[in-house]
Amino acid sequence: MDFLQILSSALQQALGPTMLAYAICAIGLNIHFGYAGLLNFGQAGFAAVAAYGLAISVAYLGLSFWLSLLIGLAGAVVLALLLGVPTLRLRADYLAIVTIAAAEIIRRLGRSTTFSDYTGGSDGTRPIGSFNDSFVALNPFPQGWSLDLGIIRFTRADAWVMLVGWALVAFCLLVMFLAMRSPWGRVLKGIREDEEAVRSLGKNVFSYKMQALVLGGLFGALGGFVFALARDNVQPDTFSTELTFYCYVMLILGGAARLFGPLLGAMLFWFLYNFLVGTLNDLAGLQVLPTWLLTTTKSGPLVYVLMGLGMVLLLIYRPQGILGDKRELSLDVR
Amino acid sequence: MSGEESTASGAVAGTAAGPLAGVAAQPGVPKPDAILVADGVTRSFGGLRAVDVAHLEVQRGAITALIGPNGAGKTTLFNLLTGFDRPDSGEWSFDGRSLAGRRAHQVARSGMVRTFQLTKALSRMTVLDNMRLGAMGQAGESFWRGLIPPLWAGQEKENTARAMDLLRRFKLDAKCHEYAGSLSGGQRKLLEMARALMAQPTMVMLDEPMAGVNPALTQSLLGHVKELREEGMTVLFVEHDMDMVHDISDWVVVMGQGRVIAEGTPDSVMADPEVIDAYLGKHHDDVATDSSEGDS
């Protein structure tokens, strides 16, 4: 088994477009969960609405690429308002229930044959047409060029998505940095700790929670764009609940309510995930482990078992994540 | 209902403040300068009428204690008046403006700021950040302006200076960079009171400020409450301990089963048979004015 090959492909994933899409979604989730204490279990829904908004607007309606981006972002804002208005006045768990259901509804609508003229159904939007011609045309890298980083190499197309993706990550982190050191961010943290106390100090808690939901949802939308542009396809199952839960794992692994937590978590998680997949696939092919434990068909589920075990160990031994502050968790909250 | 004129000369309590001296000790009595006036405020939970206050006035610039046995509806009344709960019926006004139907943050902005029975220190924020959060009208609390530090840095500096002044007064300045969650129970009470003062309220509503506070800190808390009055603020506080009520309040309102059953100076209220009945049950002949309902 080629260890260097597994390592380099995992490293490639840890820097590449998919990781970036996850990282941007996770940065949005950090606003919700890390800073404002909102339990959004439907980050996939925000990404999906934006990705479909972009793809359908260009490929089906024939609108311009830039206008379609705005439509995608507007879709995420509308989704945030739809989810937030009825639930943000209620206890935190109601938002969790509604968001996870809404994200699944969006994915199911994308899969349904009824709307397949617009969405392309379960295979994604490719049958209804390409939507990233304008994006590809803007690629500044010369034809035939590729990004060579020694043991890993990215194609010209991937390099362009990565340039945009890393720029978006930097932009999102800058907004987070500025917002969370401002009095606005302080109100959000207060709401996370105890919203009644914040209300008693004259802050409109509902409005702040809504702003946080919209802002984090917009970051989720940017993540959705990166997914869509990297693949020139919007496939409904990209936006399953798995996406949201990966983002949560990344966030907790890196450290919630820490600026660089979600980015570090995304890189580390996506590296480990791909490293495990590669290793287990190779081991299964070599048939060195007993078949009750590992065969080529079992390697997929076994990755999840191991990742789950890792998550449990993380929560036991380092619940604050890598960048977190242990002191915070030892406090008696409320 | 006891309709007799207050006979307390204030000799014992020493706090029978000027404006309240001649006010009759009877439920719902008008005050010379009422800042808070409530009428017909009711709230039921299922079949239980938790609050049923026909008329209540709170004197401006005085310390008014709200006492009563467990389940008398004191905290529920607090929640209603401050917008944290909605009444079934009723009207009330604060400083001449009607507050009925106002939401909690609007009530706070109008100058009536409350604290909670179970202290709400914001644990994973520093003591100083807790304080800064209390300041009203911060430009940087809008998202877009918050992104541009020069738009709020000056105000932040002023607020920080004011926060440090208050923290020094409450002897919490040494802890300003520690997480609020690391403070002791009594210090959290102090922090919560100091944070409420950051909002520069005209009236402070303290829900059991002494609950769970050790005796040494209690004295300092009492001192702080008195200082609030000296600064011209109106204080309404809920308390169980009759001794403490006696020490600091100018006026005492007694609730029982949701209604205001007695009002008066501390001395007159403690001698009121209705109050003794409410606290100790009927057919109890001993005058035990220091019946402390300790459930901290």
Side-chain angles (χ1 to χ4, degrees), chain A residues 243-318:
Chain A
L243 192 163
T244 306
F245 291 125
Y246 280 180
C247 289
Y248 266 102
V249 175
M250 290 163 177
L251 183 56
I252 292 166
L253 176 65
R258 286 290 179 275
L259 183 63
F260 290 103
L263 175 62
L264 180 67
M267 293 175 73
L268 202 58
F269 174 87
W270 204 234
F271 175 82
L272 288 173
Y273 178 83
N274 284 286
F275 183 75
L276 269 178
V277 169
T279 309
L280 289 179
N281 274 335
D282 272 23
L283 283 177
L286 291 173
Q287 296 179 332
V288 288
L289 288 173
T291 49
W292 62 264
L293 181 65
L294 186 66
T295 60
T296 41
T297 50
K298 282 177 185 161
S299 76
L302 193 57
V303 171
Y304 285 106
V305 171
L306 292 175
M307 294 304 287
L309 186 67
M311 189 69 197
V312 170
L313 292 175
L314 174 74
L315 287 177
I316 294 173
Y317 293 106
R318 203 172 167 85

Side-chain angles (χ1 to χ4, degrees), chain A residues 27-303:
Chain A
I27 293 169
L29 205 57
N30 198 19
I31 303 176
H32 295 151
F33 175 74
Y35 290 102
L38 298 175
L39 282 176
N40 169 19
F41 281 120
Q43 189 69 334
F46 289 97
V49 162
Y52 272 115
L54 169 66
I56 294 172
S57 298
V58 175
Y60 186 82
L61 299 175
L63 300 175
S64 87
F65 178 74
W66 299 103
L67 180 63
S68 302
L69 285 178
L70 288 180
I71 289 172
L73 292 174
V77 173
V78 170
L79 180 65
L81 295 176
L82 276 177
L83 299 181
V85 166
T87 59
L88 285 181
R89 287 186 207 280
L90 306 173
R91 255 189 4 236
D93 20 1
Y94 290 91
L95 180 71
I97 296 165
V98 168
T99 47
I100 197 169
E104 272 300 277
I105 290 168
I106 291 163
R107 183 176 72 92
R108 297 269 164 183
L109 287 177
R111 285 183 67 94
S112 77
T113 47
T114 319
F115 300 113
S116 59
D117 287 350
Y118 314 100
T119 63
S122 59
D123 290 336
T125 54
R126 197 161 281 155
I128 60 167
S130 172
F131 56 84
N132 71 349
D133 295 343
S134 312
F135 179 75
V136 171
L138 288 170
N139 192 336
F141 300 118
Q143 285 291 345
W145 179 87
S146 68
L147 180 61
D148 194 345
L149 298 173
I151 59 166
I152 54 176
R153 180 190 290 269
F154 293 97
T155 64
R156 173 177 178 264
D158 275 352
W160 174 219
V161 175
M162 282 168 66
L163 181 65
V164 171
W166 278 102
L168 284 174
V169 166
F171 168 76
C172 291
L173 289 179
L174 178 68
V175 171
M176 288 288 278
F177 171 73
L178 290 172
M180 291 311 158
R181 70 203 277 265
S182 77
W184 184 84
R186 187 164 59 217
V187 176
L188 280 198
K189 288 178 219 164
I191 290 171
R192 174 191 71 196
E193 297 301 306
D194 192 318
E195 61 176 77
E196 300 243 297
V198 175
R199 205 171 275 137
S200 80
L201 296 170
K203 323 292 179 200
N204 187 347
V205 168
F206 175 77
S207 161
Y208 280 98
K209 282 161 89 172
M210 187 57 93
Q211 291 170 40
L213 190 64
V214 169
L215 184 64
L218 282 172
F219 286 7
L222 296 177
F225 289 151
V226 175
F227 272 120
L229 292 173
R231 299 166 185 192
D232 189 19
N233 192 10
V234 179
Q235 242 174 327
D237 292 340
T238 310
F239 306 102
S240 64
T241 46
E242 201 176 75
L243 192 163
T244 306
F245 291 125
Y246 280 180
C247 289
Y248 266 102
V249 175
M250 290 163 177
L251 183 56
I252 292 166
L253 176 65
R258 286 290 179 275
L259 183 63
F260 290 103
L263 175 62
L264 180 67
M267 293 175 73
L268 202 58
F269 174 87
W270 204 234
F271 175 82
L272 288 173
Y273 178 83
N274 284 286
F275 183 75
L276 269 178
V277 169
T279 309
L280 289 179
N281 274 335
D282 272 23
L283 283 177
L286 291 173
Q287 296 179 332
V288 288
L289 288 173
T291 49
W292 62 264
L293 181 65
L294 186 66
T295 60
T296 41
T297 50
K298 282 177 185 161
S299 76
L302 193 57
V303 171

